[in-house]
Every structure is written in C-alpha cells, then in structure tokens.
Amino acid sequence: MTVVWNAYLFPCLCAFGACIGFTLIFNIHGVGRIICGVGGALGWGVYLLCGSNVPGAFAAAVCIGVYSELMARVRGCPVTGYLLVALLPLVPGGGVYYAMRDCLAGDTQQFLHSLLNTFGMACALAVGSMLSSSLFRAAYAYLHRIARRPS
Amino acid sequence: MTATEYDRLSELAVDLGCTLMSGGAEIYRVEESMRRLLNAYRLDTAEVFAIPSCVIVSVTAPDGHVVTRMRRIPAHGTDMELLERCNALCRALCRQPMPLHEVRILLDRLRERPQYSPRRILVGYVIAPAFFAPLFGGGPCDALGAAVGGLVVGLLTLYGQRITGSNSFFRTVVCSAAASLSALALVRLGIGRHADIVTISILMMLVPGMALTNAMREIMAGDTVSGLSRIADTILTGGAIALGAAVGQLLS
C-alpha cells in the first residue's frame, strides 16, 4: 500500500495541485478548476503507469484528450482550457533545462540526447492529444447521428 | 438590412473574433465563430480570416458595397473565463439572432467577467511550483524552495514590467534567470536541497505548454500559417528559458 501511495497516488495528487495552481493563472473558475485538476492527475497517473517515457507521454496525452473532450461536452464549454491545463505537468520543462546544462558542460552527445528527448515528449503530447480529440469528435458525431436516426 | 447595419455587423464579428483570440482560442474556433455569427444574420457570402495577431472580416452588401474590417490583436495571455463566456454568447446568437445594438451591449459586458485578483494569481504562482517539485523527485524542502522561487517569478511577471520590458523574449529571459538565481540562492540558504529540481519546478511556470499544444492543434486543423508562427514562438520561448537558466548555471 505504501509503495502504491509513494509511486502513484502521491504524484497524482501533486499533479492535481499543480493544475489547480495553473487554473488561477489562466482565470478558470468554479467546477472547471476541479476538472482541470483531475485531468492533470489522470494524465500523470497514465504517464507513470506506462513507464515515464515518450510512449507513456503519448498514452497520457491520448487519455487527457478523450477526458477533456468528454468534460467539454458535459459542460458545454470550449475544450481548450481543460486540455491545455491538464497537459501542462507533462510539458518537458525539465528537458529544456537538462539540455541547456549539457550544452554548457560541453557534453554534445548528452546534449543531443536530452534535446531529442525533449522534442520527442513535446511531439508525443501534441500528437496524442490532437489525435484522440479528433477521433473522439468523429466518433461522437457518428453516435449522435445514429441516436437521432428514426428507427 | 441597411448599409450601416452591415458596417455594424462586421464590426461586431471582428470584435467577437478579437475577444475570443485574446481569451486564448484556437484559430479554427475564432474563424468558425465569426462565420457562424455572420451566417446567423443571413450573410452567407462573408469571408473571415484570422491569424494569431490579426482578424479580418469582409462582407458584401446586396447592393455590391464591400465592407471590410481588420483588427490587430495585441499580445495577450490566456483567459478561459472570457473564452467560455464569449463562446456561450456566440452559441446563443447563432441559435437566436438578436438586434445588433443588444449584441453590442452583451459583447461589451463580456469584459466584466470575474477575474482573480493579483494576489490570488500570486497564490497560483506559489502553489504550482511547490506541487511540481515532488513530481521531479524533490522532497518537502525542495517544494518550499520552489514555492518561494515561484513567488519571485510571479512578482516579476505581474509587477515587474519596468524591469522586464515589453518584449516577450527578453521578459522570459529575465524571468528564467530570476528563477535559476533564486533557486541557487535558496539552496545556499538551506531552503531546498537540489538546485536542479527547484529550478525546473519554477521554470515550469514559464514553459510554453499552451503555445506548443495550440500550435500542433492548428497545424493538424489545417491553419498552417498560424501553426508555424506559434511553433516559432514556442521555440523562441524555449530558447529564452534555456538562455536565462544558463545564467544561473554559469554562476553555480
């Protein structure tokens, strides 16, 4: 139990808190704040479960994309805020920093490694969230049409 | 509709687009909202165009008179409350068009949205880095250091216009340098153990996550010009963060 708490639950709670902090900066009010926080926690949990690497980030972005599209439909709000805030903890700020540090240290091999990893994370996040939200929209429109069709 | 009403309608559409954009909407949302608004008022031949810094609307009146409005959008942050309200207004108008002067009043009233006071925003700048520190492997001590560093960056962002100037690249360099220097100082003082972790947690406040995700969304949606300009913006901001953090790195 302690292992699960330390390895998964506590980081997810932290991601939740960090996202709540960002909602204050992006002027999100009311239930939207909780939605953003839960999205961030969900994304970080998936990222940890999938092994904290680039494919993990992709899986997390896919989950966040579906989750925020769903929440946007439920609340009738634009999806933009939920998606962007939930993705923020995964954005590779550390990658930029480590790449810069390796560059200054003159370690070209390590620099390229961190830089490419940073780009990989960024692309995985963007493509994952975009892909899942496009698929969700297509599926939603299709189901909507089926539901409305007179039988 | 009379000629002045075409003028007023195109003005309204441009205002709506401008407000959406300054809330942080994607290009397709801005363009589609403007087009739907114009269509709701039976203007099927309207042309709209938006890039991150500019909105253009062109409508042709039945007598062949062309009305074109263009507005330059100043640099802006992200304001989801404004975006949500503007979106809701646009939906309501598309469902049931109202007289133009009422729309004007509603649109002006959008600006009176609830906003967090600068003090609440500072709280955001404090708690977000504090929660990021454990995510990057830091302990409670590092979280405390990150919170203090976040406060410094928040103060610089909110009140430091005179020091940081209006150029966004330079502003990011200054904020990032302040983040890395304050992390170093805090670790020297004994608040926080790992300078790296504290620095990264604070830098997360400056990372252009918003711009990056929006950029990719726009490229996928087919707005290549806007997407590329936002990607250039992201790379510049990333470079600025690295440059600023290098200052602290060189001093350590």
Side-chain angles (χ1 to χ4, degrees), chain B residues 2-18 30 34 37-38 43 46-51 53-61 65-73 100 104:
Chain B
T2 62
T4 47
E5 277 187 313
Y6 279 99
D7 279 357
R8 222 188 275 167
L9 189 56
S10 57
E11 182 74 26
L12 277 177
V14 153
D15 266 357
L16 182 86
C18 197
V30 174
M34 292 197 293
L37 177 77
L38 293 169
L43 274 176
E47 295 286 342
V48 296
F49 178 75
I51 53 171
S53 56
C54 166
V55 176
I56 303 172
V57 171
S58 185
V59 298
T60 313
H65 183 67
V66 179
V67 182
T68 304
R69 281 276 191 285
M70 189 279 259
R71 181 148 315 155
R72 180 86 163 77
I73 299 163
L100 291 181
R104 162 60 51 199

Side-chain angles (χ1 to χ4, degrees), chain A residues 3-30:
Chain A
V3 178
V4 175
W5 166 258
N6 280 336
Y8 297 108
L9 289 179
F10 180 64
C12 286
L13 274 182
C14 286
F16 179 84
C19 287
I20 296 283
F22 269 109
T23 59
L24 292 171
I25 296 165
F26 293 144
N27 201 23
I28 300 173
H29 293 257

Side-chain angles (χ1 to χ4, degrees), chain B:
Chain B
M1 259 198 269
T2 62
T4 47
E5 277 187 313
Y6 279 99
D7 279 357
R8 222 188 275 167
L9 189 56
S10 57
E11 182 74 26
L12 277 177
V14 153
D15 266 357
L16 182 86
C18 197
T19 316
L20 273 173
M21 194 83 92
S22 51
E26 308 92 322
I27 298 296
Y28 77 84
R29 190 184 297 283
V30 174
E31 285 187 348
E32 193 161 314
S33 303
M34 292 197 293
R35 189 175 301 121
R36 287 201 178 175
L37 177 77
L38 293 169
N39 286 352
Y41 286 93
R42 308 256 165 74
L43 274 176
D44 298 327
T45 55
E47 295 286 342
V48 296
F49 178 75
I51 53 171
S53 56
C54 166
V55 176
I56 303 172
V57 171
S58 185
V59 298
T60 313
D63 59 354
H65 183 67
V66 179
V67 182
T68 304
R69 281 276 191 285
M70 189 279 259
R71 181 148 315 155
R72 180 86 163 77
I73 299 163
H76 52 79
T78 309
D79 189 332
M80 285 302 150
E81 186 67 22
L82 183 63
L83 174 56
E84 282 183 12
R85 284 178 179 236
C86 200
N87 198 56
L89 173 66
C90 182
R91 281 189 187 187
L93 285 178
C94 291
R95 229 174 292 132
Q96 191 166 27
M98 286 180 232
L100 291 181
H101 61 274
E102 282 178 28
V103 181
R104 162 60 51 199
I105 294 170
L106 285 176
L107 203 54
D108 289 339
R109 210 178 280 162
L110 281 181
R111 294 277 172 190
E112 300 162 12
R113 69 210 180 272
Q115 259 177 311
Y116 289 117
S117 61
R119 214 174 288 168
R120 295 285 292 280
I121 297 178
L122 268 186
V123 171
Y125 271 103
V126 170
I127 64 173
F131 279 110
F132 272 128
L135 289 185
F136 298 121
C141 212
D142 297 317
L144 187 66
V148 178
L151 183 67
V152 172
V153 170
L155 284 173
L156 259 184
T157 318
L158 288 181
Y159 301 109
Q161 248 90 21
R162 210 178 294 164
I163 311 166
T164 57
S166 56
N167 182 317
S168 86
F169 181 81
F170 187 64
R171 197 165 53 214
T172 315
V173 172
V174 171
C175 285
S176 162
S180 66
L181 287 178
S182 57
L184 270 185
L186 287 165
V187 171
R188 287 275 159 83
L189 287 174
I191 311 171
R193 235 169 248 136
H194 313 91
D196 282 354
I197 292 174
V198 178
T199 313
I200 295 172
S201 311
I202 308 170
L203 287 185
M204 288 303 282
M205 304 309 292
L206 303 171
V207 166
M210 216 80 173
L212 177 75
T213 336
N214 258 348
M216 291 310 268
R217 283 169 76 82
E218 261 146 37
I219 286 189
M220 303 254 179
D223 299 307
T224 327
V225 177
S226 312
L228 285 179
S229 86
R230 281 201 214 257
I231 283 193
D233 190 41
T234 316
I235 293 176
L236 268 182
T237 314
I241 290 174
L243 206 63
V247 174
Q249 193 70 36
L250 288 175
L251 283 180
S252 68

